[in-house]
Amino acid sequence: MPKIYIGADHRGFKLKEKIKAYINARGYEIIDIGNVKYDEDDDYPDYAKKVAEKVSQENARGILLCGSGQGVCITANKYDGVRAAVGINKDQIRSSTADEDVNILCLSADYITEKQTIEIVESWLNSKFSGKERHVRRENKIKEIERNN
């Protein structure tokens, strides 16, 4: 099982702690890169950067949380090899992982419930990239864009 790095700003901090407990109970190696305490003045790009760097360098997976999920997703997608997506429900993230090989799951602490969050995380953990030719072709086109920018 790949390592899973997790990070969140103050808006996602409480939910991050619940996700960590859930994932730990399932035997995954989860590494919390922050914030390790609630700090209402922290900034989501700091944690998105740390998780995205690890995922990019180590071929790992990651989970990021902020209020909307969008800020951490935008930041994470700046890194080569990162395919971050905001999970809005379990079916959408299953499809996104199968088709786009999502390696960072971004979550909204403000717009989804704890129950929905756990369902999305479970779906993402159990989903794999399909490896179908058309999806590999599309992923290669994204890699080409990364190389040329």
Side-chain angles (χ1 to χ4, degrees), residues 72-97:
V72 290
C73 190
I74 291 166
T75 305
N77 276 312
K78 302 294 183 193
Y79 289 82
D80 286 348
V82 167
R83 293 168 309 281
V86 176
I88 59 171
N89 65 51
K90 64 182 182 177
D91 296 326
Q92 175 258 355
I93 204 60
R94 182 182 311 112
S95 175
S96 295
T97 303

Side-chain angles (χ1 to χ4, degrees), residues 1 3-4 6 26 33-34 53 57 65 71 81 93 102 127-128 131 142:
M1 279 189 237
K3 290 181 205 171
I4 299 172
I6 192 166
R26 275 142 189 81
I33 57 88
E53 285 174 342
Q57 294 166 0
L65 297 97
I93 204 60
V102 170
S127 299
K128 303 288 181 238
I142 293 169

